[in-house]
Amino acid sequence: MLRAREVVLYCACPNEVTSARVALLLKRKGITRVHPLEGGLAAWMALGFPVLAVEPPAVTVDERADGVPS
């Protein structure tokens, strides 16, 4: 599934440091069609490409790794 799809990662850090690191980790796991978004989300938006705001899914106490309610 994921291995056959194109994956684009972005982050808010300078020079896409985090997304580049994650892309490298995924490539080591065999997901080869993965790329950091050059310029990040800010560059995407500056070029006028669409951005869709979505609400993150609600996380219950049972789903949280630390088990502490937020």
Side-chain angles (χ1 to χ4, degrees):
M1 291 179 288
L2 186 59
R3 294 177 196 273
R5 298 185 73 183
E6 203 71 34
V7 178
V8 178
L9 304 169
Y10 67 89
C11 63
C13 55
N15 301 318
E16 304 84 46
V17 174
T18 302
S19 57
R21 285 182 183 164
V22 172
L24 183 59
L25 290 172
L26 290 173
K27 285 181 181 183
R28 289 179 181 163
K29 297 283 186 183
I31 301 170
T32 57
R33 297 175 65 185
V34 60
H35 315 277
L37 179 61
E38 187 176 342
L41 188 57
W44 178 269
M45 293 169 62
L47 290 169
F49 292 122
V51 177
L52 177 63
V54 291
E55 287 291 320
V59 177
T60 66
V61 174
D62 294 335
E63 294 172 323
R64 286 191 49 163
D66 59 10
V68 177
S70 52

